[in-house]
Amino acid sequence: MQQQLEKSLTSTWHSAWDCGEVAALTEAVTPGYVRISRASGQSSTLEQLQEEILAVRAGFPDLVTTIESIVVQGDTAAVFWTSTGTHTQPYLGVPATQRRVETRGCNHLTLVDGRIDREEVTWDGSELLHSLGVRHLSDALEHPGEVVVHDLTGDEPDPQVMKGFNRQFITGVTVVTTQSDGEPKGLAVNSYASVSLEPPLVMVCIQKTSSTYPALFSATHLGINILGTGQRETVATFASKEPDKFAQVDWHAGPHGSPLIDGSPASLEAEIRERFQAKTHTVFICRVRHAEVTEASPIVYKAGRFYDSDDLTQL
């Protein structure tokens, strides 16, 4: 049975995972087949597994899976495998990074008449994201203890109420920048925050639909520019969909090439250290490597309007 199972599984996995012929799995599993992820606790059907395989292969077209060994004991088996592939197409909302990754896992099978009835896996799609340097927000807690980490789904307040809440929060205005193939890229962002001074960490949150997002995701460094009262037109430019937002903007490169906008009250360049997935956005955690500060006054933003920070009244 060992040799027969090894031959059958090796052939089936090659057809499905390496060639995308997911129909080959139909003969290898029972009608009641279920797949359980030990990482998330979620279960999936054969159809969902087939969809997952096709999604992985779409992002990693040269994917190759090697079965290292199969251990059979009665009606159970353990399959140890390794997969390698190059991330040349978007995968789970992450733009292509051109990185080659290697991931491995062990699948525990329950067999019925030689076919897989239940499969418990130590691997899921998030493992590939980890290999690409992307993690889910729940990964921020290494030892959660009694804390329950939510998956960010469920009942939500009225979007208009949330917009009203956010409009009441006063922020500055930043332009987050990077370079892609020597071309400067940037967008206006007000979801910036300092994380710590020692070490100097900052964070920005970027929507995945932004045209600058693929360049930022692939970059090793980014620039953050706090805009001033004399840069109102610059704010409008970087909040727009202009194809060349730097055409009328003077800037200089930071030590690692990130565009730093001339005349800004403050600019910094930071190394991207973590990328956390948060549904429609990615949170970038960055370590500051260079900073510049001037005497210019920053713009204040609240409820869709801009204010001169010099005219604020002290309480």
Side-chain angles (χ1 to χ4, degrees):
M1 180 176 180
Q2 172 92 26
Q3 292 182 339
Q4 181 179 357
L5 184 63
E6 285 184 4
K7 182 178 180 180
S8 174
L9 279 181
T10 299
S11 174
T12 300
W13 280 40
H14 171 73
S15 297
W17 284 99
D18 298 348
C19 302
E21 299 170 0
V22 294
L25 292 170
T26 304
E27 298 300 320
V29 303
T30 67
Y33 167 83
V34 63
R35 176 182 173 95
I36 308 294
S37 168
R38 288 187 174 180
S40 65
Q42 296 181 338
S43 62
S44 56
T45 63
L46 172 61
E47 291 74 17
Q48 291 169 324
L49 171 60
Q50 292 171 326
E51 291 174 0
E52 180 180 15
I53 292 173
L54 294 176
V56 171
R57 287 202 50 78
F60 301 80
D62 63 347
L63 185 77
V64 173
T65 299
T66 302
I67 294 181
E68 306 289 352
S69 64
I70 300 175
V71 179
V72 180
Q73 185 174 6
D75 290 331
T76 63
V79 182
F80 299 87
W81 55 269
T82 300
S83 290
T84 58
T86 310
H87 184 212
T88 59
Q89 298 295 326
Y91 175 66
L92 295 182
V94 176
T97 62
Q98 308 304 321
R99 297 178 187 172
R100 188 161 182 81
V101 300
E102 180 178 295
T103 184
R104 61 189 68 243
C106 174
N107 295 13
H108 296 268
L109 315 180
T110 300
L111 307 173
V112 175
D113 296 329
R115 301 169 73 183
I116 305 171
D117 186 63
R118 178 184 174 89
E119 185 174 19
E120 294 187 12
V121 298
T122 58
W123 179 94
D124 62 23
S126 65
E127 294 294 327
L128 281 175
L129 295 184
H130 284 206
S131 301
L132 296 173
V134 184
R135 299 199 290 168
H136 191 273
L137 280 174
S138 61
D139 295 334
L141 295 177
E142 295 183 2
H143 305 288
E146 297 301 320
V147 177
V148 177
V149 181
H150 203 275
D151 65 359
L152 306 182
T153 61
D155 294 336
E156 299 173 351
D158 187 322
Q160 295 303 316
V161 174
M162 283 304 304
K163 286 182 180 179
F165 177 90
N166 290 333
R167 286 166 65 88
Q168 290 299 97
F169 188 66
I170 297 175
T171 70
V173 178
T174 73
V175 169
V176 176
T177 61
T178 192
Q179 288 207 57
S180 176
D181 296 327
E183 181 181 353
K185 302 280 187 178
L187 75 163
V189 174
N190 65 351
S191 54
Y192 157 84
S194 172
V195 177
S196 67
L197 292 177
E198 295 182 4
L201 298 177
V202 298
M203 60 149 282
V204 290
C205 189
I206 307 297
Q207 190 167 7
K208 295 178 181 178
T209 56
S210 165
S211 60
T212 305
Y213 175 77
L216 276 172
F217 187 90
S218 300
T220 59
H221 293 74
L222 56 76
I224 301 175
N225 304 271
I226 297 177
L227 297 194
T229 54
Q231 296 174 299
R232 183 64 183 85
E233 291 185 1
T234 303
V235 176
T237 296
F238 282 94
S240 72
K241 298 185 181 298
E242 287 285 338
D244 185 2
K245 298 178 182 178
F246 285 86
Q248 304 298 324
V249 175
D250 294 327
W251 60 279
H252 60 283
H256 295 276
S258 302
L260 306 181
I261 299 175
D262 295 349
S264 299
S267 298
L268 61 78
E269 184 176 45
E271 179 186 1
I272 301 172
R273 301 301 295 271
E274 299 279 6
R275 300 170 179 83
F276 289 105
Q277 298 287 60
K279 292 295 183 182
T280 58
H281 291 67
T282 294
V283 180
F284 293 82
I285 306 295
C286 313
R287 180 162 186 152
V288 179
R289 296 302 186 185
H290 172 79
E292 305 172 3
V293 180
T294 72
E295 296 298 322
S297 299
I299 290 177
V300 174
Y301 178 77
K302 174 187 176 292
R305 297 180 181 179
F306 298 95
Y307 298 87
D308 188 334
S309 59
D310 288 335
D311 295 334
L312 298 180
T313 301
Q314 184 174 346
L315 299 178

